[in-house]
Amino acid sequence: MLLVAAGLFYTNDANRKQQQVAIQGQVAERFSTGIDQLGQEGNNKLSIRLGGIYALERLMRDSSADEPTVIEVLCAFVRTHAAPWPVEGRPERVASSTPDVLAAIVVLARRPSPKAEGNRRLDLSGTLLGLDNAHLVDADLSGAVLTGASLSRANLTGADLSDTSLSTADLSYALLDHADLVDANLNYSDLSGAQLNGATMGGATMGGADLTAAQLDGADLREADLGGADLREADLSDADLRDTHLGNAHFNGADLGDADLSGAKLLGADLRDADLRGAYLRDADLRDADLRGVNLSDVFGLTTEQLIDANLDAKTRLPSGVARPTSVRTR
């Protein structure tokens, strides 16, 4: 009986090994076929390339061990098929990316295990992507290099464009005018010089993000979290910042003209040299905010009580009818 049992064990073990070898062979064949399809050049081979992209996506889902390799292949495809970043400057208009490049980006954005080691980084450097009106809801583009990408009117609701342990998501100089970024994760992202005019960003998290010189004219940032964000020289004129968390944010030289900051949390924010003409500050929390030298004479809704724990100096100008607190804090 023992000999029979031992024979059955070794037979089953051999069968399992044969099955594993067969599965590995199938995976290798599928990968090879997908690469071959991806390499078919020419406008008349677009459908073949698309087939290769979606075949590789299916392989990622069926074989987690091959996901990092597929990601590298698709990123390389984008880098070699997308419009290259120009040698000098940035063109005023970015041409729409081809359907195969867009498909590769969509597949990368919905990779199965984006937070796993080896799957976080999306190297799309050196490309000028035209993704206007793209549908990227809940996409995971954390750590992606999207410098100068055109994403105007793109739907990025709930998308993850935050940093990773390896790199910071790079959206510097990107065009995101009128994009939908509701509830998006942009923590620590590089959005310096980006254009976000009229963008909808309610509930987005942008803690520690770099928004220096960003254009946010008329953007909707209600209840967004920009704690510690760098907004120096940013254009926030006419922006809706009601109930927005702006604690410890830097606004040096920012344009906040006619912005609605009602109920905004500006604890410890640095507003020196910011332009606040016509801004609404009703119920804004200004505790420990740095208002030294700031001209507040043309703001609306400000009260003396809001300034009791703010940092003022003799150069801080207040609106008519708002008394200077008897005890002024200085840093």
Side-chain angles (χ1 to χ4, degrees):
M1 290 293 292
L2 288 175
L3 290 174
V4 173
L8 288 172
F9 172 79
Y10 285 115
T11 299
N12 291 335
D13 186 54
N15 289 337
R16 281 195 297 270
K17 288 181 179 179
Q18 287 179 349
Q19 289 176 350
Q20 290 174 353
V21 170
I23 291 171
Q24 290 173 355
Q26 291 172 1
V27 168
E29 184 177 353
R30 290 168 61 189
F31 182 75
S32 178
T33 301
I35 293 294
D36 181 63
Q37 291 177 309
L38 207 59
Q40 300 294 309
E41 299 294 344
N43 293 334
N44 61 330
K45 301 292 181 65
L46 173 62
S47 60
I48 297 176
R49 292 194 299 277
L50 290 172
I53 291 166
Y54 295 123
L56 290 172
E57 178 182 26
R58 180 61 183 269
L59 182 59
M60 273 197 297
R61 298 190 177 281
D62 292 344
S63 176
S64 59
D66 292 288
E67 186 173 349
T69 303
V70 173
I71 289 171
E72 289 181 11
V73 168
L74 291 177
C75 284
F77 177 81
V78 172
R79 292 197 303 271
T80 54
H81 287 76
W85 185 262
V87 177
E88 295 184 4
R90 179 189 185 287
E92 292 185 6
R93 183 181 178 278
V94 180
S96 298
S97 294
T98 56
D100 48 355
V101 168
L102 177 58
I105 291 169
V106 170
V107 167
L108 287 167
R110 63 189 184 204
R111 58 201 187 281
S113 305
K115 304 307 180 188
E117 194 66 32
N119 300 344
R120 300 171 183 168
R121 171 75 167 167
L122 298 181
D123 186 2
L124 306 175
S125 57
T127 59
L128 195 59
L129 299 169
L131 306 172
D132 294 341
N133 300 301
H135 186 78
L136 293 164
V137 174
D138 295 326
D140 193 312
L141 291 163
S142 52
V145 179
L146 292 162
T147 307
S150 186
L151 287 151
S152 296
R153 300 187 186 279
N155 189 345
L156 289 151
T157 303
D160 189 346
L161 294 144
S162 61
D163 76 330
T164 70
S165 60
L166 302 177
S167 63
T168 299
D170 191 344
L171 286 152
S172 54
Y173 302 102
L175 299 179
L176 289 151
D177 292 337
H178 302 287
D180 189 341
L181 287 153
V182 172
D183 296 326
N185 181 0
L186 292 149
N187 285 332
Y188 301 103
S189 295
D190 185 354
L191 286 152
S192 56
Q195 293 187 28
L196 292 144
N197 299 310
T200 305
M201 307 173 76
T205 53
M206 305 172 71
D210 184 354
L211 287 148
T212 53
Q215 303 294 309
L216 291 144
D217 184 3
D220 184 348
L221 289 150
R222 284 175 291 176
E223 299 182 2
D225 185 350
L226 286 96
D230 192 342
L231 289 147
R232 288 176 292 179
E233 306 295 334
D235 183 357
L236 289 149
S237 55
D238 293 304
D240 192 341
L241 293 156
R242 286 176 288 172
D243 300 312
T244 302
H245 175 50
L246 297 160
N248 298 309
H250 300 275
F251 290 95
N252 310 77
D255 185 355
L256 287 156
D258 298 315
D260 192 343
L261 288 148
S262 303
K265 301 167 183 64
L266 288 149
L267 288 80
D270 190 345
L271 288 150
R272 288 175 295 170
D273 299 319
D275 185 349
L276 286 152
R277 285 176 292 183
Y280 290 81
L281 290 166
R282 188 180 307 277
D283 298 323
D285 190 343
L286 295 165
R287 287 176 294 167
D288 204 35
D290 194 341
L291 296 167
R292 290 177 295 170
V294 177
N295 183 1
L296 297 168
S297 59
D298 294 318
V299 303
F300 299 98
L302 186 66
T303 65
T304 300
E305 288 73 18
Q306 289 172 269
L307 299 170
I308 291 174
D309 291 314
N311 293 284
L312 314 178
D313 64 9
K315 295 182 179 179
T316 304
R317 296 175 59 187
L318 302 181
S320 176
V322 177
R324 185 177 295 269
T326 54
S327 177
V328 177
R329 296 180 57 187
T330 58
R331 291 186 178 182

